[in-house]
Amino acid sequence: METLRFQVVGEAFKKKPLDVKTTDERPAKYFGKKVFNREKMYKYLPKNIYEKMIDVMENGARLDRTVADAVAAGMKQWATEQGVTHYTHWFQPLTEGTAEKHDSFIEHDGKGGMVEEFTGKLLVQQEPDASSFPSGGIRSTFEARGYSAWDPTSPVFIIDDTLCIPTVFISYSGEALDYKAPLLRALHAVNVAATDVCHYFDPEVRKVTSNLGWEQEYFLVDEGLYAARPDLLLTGRTLMGHDSAKNQQMDDHYFGSIPERVAAFMRELEIVALELGIPCKTRHNEVAPNQFELAPIFEETNLAVDHNMLLMSVMKRVARKHGFRVLLHEKPFAGINGSGKHNNWSLSTDTGVLLHAPGKTPEQNLRFATFIVETLMGVYRHNGLLKASIMSATNAHRLGANEAPPAIISSFLGKQVSELLDHIEKADRDDILAMAGKQDLKMDIPEIPELLIDNTDRNRTSPFAFTGNRFEFRAVGSEANCASAMIALNAAVAEALMLFKKRVDQRIVEISGRAEFTEGKHNPVFHAIIDILREDIKTCKPIRFDGNGYSDEWIVEAERRGLDVEKSCPKIFERYLDPESIQMFESLGVMTKKELEARNEVKWETYTKKIQIEARVLGDLSMNHIIPVATHYQSQLLQNVASMAVVFSVDTADKLSARNKKIIEEIAERTSAIEKGVEELVNARREANKIESEYEKAIAYHDTVEPKLDSIRYQIDKLELIVDDSLWPLPKYRELLFIR
């Protein structure tokens, strides 16, 4: 045992990067090299086809098959010049990952030979089997047909020898079986609703775009150590492991010097990502040891989601070339910070950013306030749904653990924005809405230039914080598909804006007949907007919280305010089926009740399976790894005690053997507790598996199975401290967490 364990650890540390991708070119030269972007379209498509494609991408014009055939021809020419031999429809099923089926370009030529062919029909539509993906009962094995359909707003890209075409994935009967289809619908809804509201302030606005900038946190571990941890391999997290004596308590890893091996991995990852058009901007060490972050420049939300899904796949491939494994689980190690994927969300028009302040005129400041307040209204009305959109069996380990936002959705605005809303609520309607922008901060250090201070501070405990010109949805998990949160958020904001406009229009009619307005002394539109904003500022006030989200007092206060404080993951998923959630999604055309019910079935089933796998892995490790090693060490101690009795007198032997006897007794107690715990765990699973309802089964796994994992782990972690280190079968935290 000793030789094997330390051989594994040693080999992991000696691993060298092989076949590392490097380039002497500047990033601007190879950015988008493997993407059929507008530059490639302009080069490979006829001018009239190019113009039609731009119209499709920018204005949502319908794409006819004649255009698709011409685009397919241009794509194929470009792709074959890059050595591509296959194509695939790349989609995002309800698995949190991506899926692809590769087909070659070759077809029979009718003369006994082959010809390379790629038509508009093949570009636009493919038919993957829909029965083997999670569907919540929408598709059965005998109802296998499903369709993937090209999304022309997200550019085609090349991975190895394959042309990858971003697509939606729907069933034969038309229901969405993926994340992209409802996301596109939600983005359309917020575009329509926000554009209508923008016309109060600027009739020239043609389109509102939802923007997303994600921040991807992740861990790296040496591949050899990863392979020696079956729990990491099978579940993505360590199901046992005592704290390392040194972990993150010195705060020395955060923003520290990036380890050389990690820096080499990051450089290659950025090259590959930039070639794929992913605009990587930031990289740094995160708080926990072996934890890092990558963040891109903001992009349109649909494209940003695709890029994040692509990046998670690419980073795993690149990491293995450098002797690493990437861990995207939200809480792979106990006792240190977990990983999130902060979703920085904003709205912009063809004329500017809607959430940017201050404006040059009172009207611009009023527009800013309108979109801030109506965003808050959406978040307030659907705070439980937004929590459900980011909840999972894995993210539940991270949320509220004094390192991440609590499992209660609230919004931090900062002093200046809060004062602006208070001013609108209480001041005279005719007051000019003025708001300070960035202020000069003099530091009285001659060598340091004056700093510009933003109009908000930051609150790391807030799940939904305003940070200057965007909201940061911090509760999203690191391995999640951003689309889930973005569907809920954009839909909630779209609904709020639609209701706002309806009420403002009604108020305009009500006040327009008054004398002061008929005489042209006042603007009825702005007065109506202020009236409705005042109502909404009061209504959504419970969602605003600038304090410490980690405090116990906040949980009590949040419940008093009527916010959703539920902690059970399966119960949180129920918010998708609340009448107000169904009403919102259906009225906006984002998802039907049937689709929502199906997705919840998938969520409950996925939750159950993840806990089930963890329980089976922990039971196996306990009985086949930990207990045999512990009892083997116990036997060695017993032999030692027996030898003492032979060599020394009874009193001396008792004195010399006292410590070993104590350890022998403790091992017996703890192994007995582990055996009992595993037996109870198996019985709890057996009883839960009898339940037919996916919801009730998930509840049973949450209430009766999952708690037993922690009780078994507690005993194993205590054994780790007393069993001979050379016998312990699994790499420990001190080995896993510090890259050499």
Side-chain angles (χ1 to χ4, degrees), residues 51-64 67 152-153 207:
E51 291 173 349
K52 288 182 179 180
M53 276 300 298
I54 297 301
D55 191 30
V56 169
M57 295 164 61
E58 292 188 350
N59 304 316
R62 183 169 294 277
L63 179 74
D64 61 56
V67 174
T153 65
K207 182 179 181 180

Side-chain angles (χ1 to χ4, degrees), residues 583-616:
Q583 164 66 23
M584 177 190 72
F585 284 125
E586 288 197 325
S587 66
L588 297 174
V590 175
M591 283 185 280
T592 64
K593 182 180 180 181
K594 182 179 180 180
E595 288 173 321
L596 290 168
E597 290 172 340
R599 284 162 191 267
N600 262 31
E601 287 290 305
V602 172
K603 288 177 182 293
W604 288 321
E605 185 179 7
T606 300
Y607 178 87
T608 296
K609 287 179 177 178
K610 288 196 173 185
I611 304 302
Q612 185 181 72
I613 291 169
E614 289 187 352
R616 294 175 67 180

Side-chain angles (χ1 to χ4, degrees), residues 418-647:
S418 294
E419 287 179 350
L420 170 68
L421 300 192
D422 292 341
H423 177 74
I424 295 172
E425 179 185 355
K426 299 171 184 177
D428 188 275
R429 282 192 308 190
D430 294 328
D431 283 355
I432 296 177
L433 298 173
M435 176 180 174
K438 295 190 176 184
Q439 310 167 37
D440 290 345
L441 174 66
K442 294 185 178 180
M443 300 187 67
D444 294 324
I445 304 175
E447 294 81 6
I448 303 298
E450 292 182 354
L451 303 179
L452 292 177
I453 304 303
D454 288 285
N455 53 35
T456 69
D457 197 354
R458 286 178 178 259
N459 186 329
R460 294 296 182 185
T461 73
S462 176
F464 194 75
F466 184 67
T467 56
N469 60 2
R470 63 193 182 276
F471 281 96
E472 184 178 14
F473 198 1
R474 296 176 52 81
V476 183
S478 57
E479 71 175 357
N481 187 325
C482 298
S484 179
M486 291 296 100
I487 292 167
L489 177 58
N490 283 285
V493 174
E495 180 193 56
L497 290 168
M498 289 177 67
L499 294 174
F500 172 79
K501 185 177 188 304
K502 181 178 179 181
R503 290 156 60 218
V504 168
D505 288 347
Q506 290 173 346
R507 189 63 54 89
I508 291 172
V509 173
E510 291 171 7
I511 68 176
S512 292
R514 298 178 192 169
E516 64 267 31
F517 293 104
T518 56
E519 294 171 6
K521 295 179 180 179
H522 300 281
N523 185 329
V525 174
F526 289 162
H527 276 254
I529 290 172
I530 293 172
D531 285 350
I532 302 304
L533 280 183
R534 282 176 164 172
E535 295 174 5
D536 288 352
I537 288 169
K538 292 176 183 177
T539 299
C540 70
K541 194 165 286 187
I543 204 70
R544 291 163 52 186
F545 179 65
D546 288 1
N548 181 8
Y550 294 156
S551 67
D552 293 335
E553 292 79 8
W554 168 233
I555 298 175
V556 176
E557 171 63 16
E559 189 169 15
R560 186 192 68 79
R561 295 185 183 192
L563 302 181
D564 192 310
V565 297
E566 179 60 61
K567 294 182 179 179
S568 169
C569 186
K571 291 181 180 179
I572 289 170
F573 290 147
E574 284 191 284
R575 301 288 71 77
Y576 274 98
L577 301 180
D578 286 344
E580 54 268 31
S581 297
I582 295 172
Q583 164 66 23
M584 177 190 72
F585 284 125
E586 288 197 325
S587 66
L588 297 174
V590 175
M591 283 185 280
T592 64
K593 182 180 180 181
K594 182 179 180 180
E595 288 173 321
L596 290 168
E597 290 172 340
R599 284 162 191 267
N600 262 31
E601 287 290 305
V602 172
K603 288 177 182 293
W604 288 321
E605 185 179 7
T606 300
Y607 178 87
T608 296
K609 287 179 177 178
K610 288 196 173 185
I611 304 302
Q612 185 181 72
I613 291 169
E614 289 187 352
R616 294 175 67 180
V617 170
L618 182 59
D620 173 62
L621 289 177
S622 298
M623 303 306 294
N624 295 312
H625 289 68
I626 303 305
I627 288 180
V629 166
T631 53
H632 177 70
Y633 181 54
Q634 187 183 47
S635 298
Q636 291 182 345
L637 295 179
L638 285 168
Q639 292 176 3
N640 179 268
V641 170
S643 299
M644 290 283 189
V646 172
V647 175

Side-chain angles (χ1 to χ4, degrees), residues 226 229-240 327 329-334 393-394 397 610-611 614 617-618 706 709-710 713 733:
Y226 173 87
R229 291 285 311 218
D231 49 355
L232 271 182
L233 182 69
L234 297 175
T235 74
R237 76 179 181 108
T238 53
L239 299 176
M240 61 190 72
L327 303 182
H329 192 290
E330 283 80 4
K331 192 74 172 178
F333 303 103
T394 54
H397 292 290
K610 288 196 173 185
I611 304 302
E614 289 187 352
V617 170
L618 182 59
E706 187 175 19
L709 300 178
D710 291 334
R713 177 181 187 143
Y733 272 23

Side-chain angles (χ1 to χ4, degrees), residues 190-191 194 208-211 345-349 352-356 371 375 469-470 490 493 497:
V190 81
N191 169 32
V208 173
T209 301
S210 169
N211 301 306
W345 171 88
S346 189
L347 294 173
S348 63
T349 73
V353 179
L354 292 177
L355 301 181
H356 183 71
F371 280 91
T375 297
N469 60 2
R470 63 193 182 276
N490 283 285
V493 174
L497 290 168

Side-chain angles (χ1 to χ4, degrees), residues 81 162 171-172 262 265 428 487-488 613:
E81 289 175 5
T162 303
S171 73
Y172 178 73
V262 176
F265 155 74
D428 188 275
I487 292 167
I613 291 169

